[in-house]
Amino acid sequence: MTYQIGDSNFPEEYQDIAERILQVKNSITCVLENIGDFKIFNETLVPEGLKPIARSISWLVEQVVIQNLTVYKRTCGIEAIRDPPHNLTQYDCILNLAGEDSDYFVNIKTSLARTRSSGRADISKAEKLIRLYEENPDLILLVAIVKVEMDGVYIRPRNVILFNVAWT
């Protein structure tokens, strides 16, 4: 059975973590609202605009989101943002909410707003995830799918879908 945070039949034992995950989502949404639309290339470099394919901009959007998590952290209820120890991890940053001690390991993905796919098939291989959870059984690994619209060389962040990998 699939549960959505806020459903009346959501298991009570997960209610606390679900509410904290919702706070993480609200913080990321706040950052996206502060970023607004942005230009990703000079039009002269791609006069026909970028093809509307999320993978063509995913790393750039990831960098914009992560760097602006730091810029707007106080405004958006975030205490701290830390980078992973190296770039071969299953997450892009470690986030701490203001007023609590939990570490949220966040993997940023990009999807076009008109795409229906959840992006869940694009997560690191199962063996690596199992090893990560074995090393840290209390890990809160979240995938944040940033839904964007593309218009030529402009990116318009629209919303974020956030889910706990352990619940998939």
Side-chain angles (χ1 to χ4, degrees), residues 16 59 149:
D16 178 59
W59 185 83
E149 291 178 359

Side-chain angles (χ1 to χ4, degrees), residues 114-165:
R114 62 183 169 86
T115 303
R116 291 186 182 181
S117 171
S118 68
R120 292 180 187 192
D122 190 30
I123 300 171
S124 299
K125 302 223 183 281
E127 302 86 34
K128 290 181 182 178
L129 289 173
I130 291 168
R131 187 170 39 247
L132 186 63
Y133 279 104
E134 286 173 346
E135 293 169 1
N136 186 354
D138 296 326
L139 177 73
I140 304 170
L141 178 60
L142 306 173
V143 173
I145 303 170
V146 177
K147 301 288 265 182
V148 300
E149 291 178 359
M150 293 177 65
D151 183 15
V153 295
Y154 289 89
I155 305 300
R156 294 184 174 89
R158 290 299 175 230
N159 64 346
V160 64
I161 298 168
L162 188 75
F163 66 90
N164 185 348
V165 172

Side-chain angles (χ1 to χ4, degrees), residues 6-161:
D7 284 353
S8 59
N9 61 349
F10 193 84
E12 191 173 321
E13 64 203 85
Y14 300 121
Q15 197 64 25
D16 178 59
I17 185 66
E19 289 172 6
R20 291 187 287 136
I21 290 171
L22 185 57
Q23 289 176 348
V24 172
K25 179 180 180 182
N26 291 341
S27 293
I28 295 171
T29 299
C30 173
V31 170
L32 294 179
E33 289 169 354
N34 278 284
I35 293 171
D37 300 354
F38 58 93
K39 186 177 180 179
I40 207 158
F41 275 109
N42 184 321
E43 294 94 342
T44 60
L45 297 174
V46 283
E48 295 176 17
L50 293 170
K51 292 186 180 193
I53 302 170
R55 72 177 179 266
S56 67
I57 58 159
S58 62
W59 185 83
L60 296 170
V61 170
E62 171 188 312
Q63 289 301 302
V64 168
V65 171
I66 290 170
Q67 291 184 31
N68 280 280
L69 283 169
T70 300
V71 170
Y72 294 107
K73 68 182 180 183
R74 298 282 183 238
T75 303
C76 296
I78 299 167
E79 182 68 32
I81 303 289
R82 297 185 317 277
D83 290 328
H86 52 80
N87 64 358
L88 298 176
T89 61
Q90 292 85 7
Y91 55 93
D92 299 308
C93 65
I94 304 167
L95 182 145
N96 298 100
L97 294 174
E100 71 161 273
D101 295 331
S102 297
D103 286 337
Y104 299 94
F105 295 72
V106 181
N107 183 327
I108 308 281
K109 299 289 184 188
T110 305
S111 177
L112 297 182
R114 62 183 169 86
T115 303
R116 291 186 182 181
S117 171
S118 68
R120 292 180 187 192
D122 190 30
I123 300 171
S124 299
K125 302 223 183 281
E127 302 86 34
K128 290 181 182 178
L129 289 173
I130 291 168
R131 187 170 39 247
L132 186 63
Y133 279 104
E134 286 173 346
E135 293 169 1
N136 186 354
D138 296 326
L139 177 73
I140 304 170
L141 178 60
L142 306 173
V143 173
I145 303 170
V146 177
K147 301 288 265 182
V148 300
E149 291 178 359
M150 293 177 65
D151 183 15
V153 295
Y154 289 89
I155 305 300
R156 294 184 174 89
R158 290 299 175 230
N159 64 346
V160 64
I161 298 168

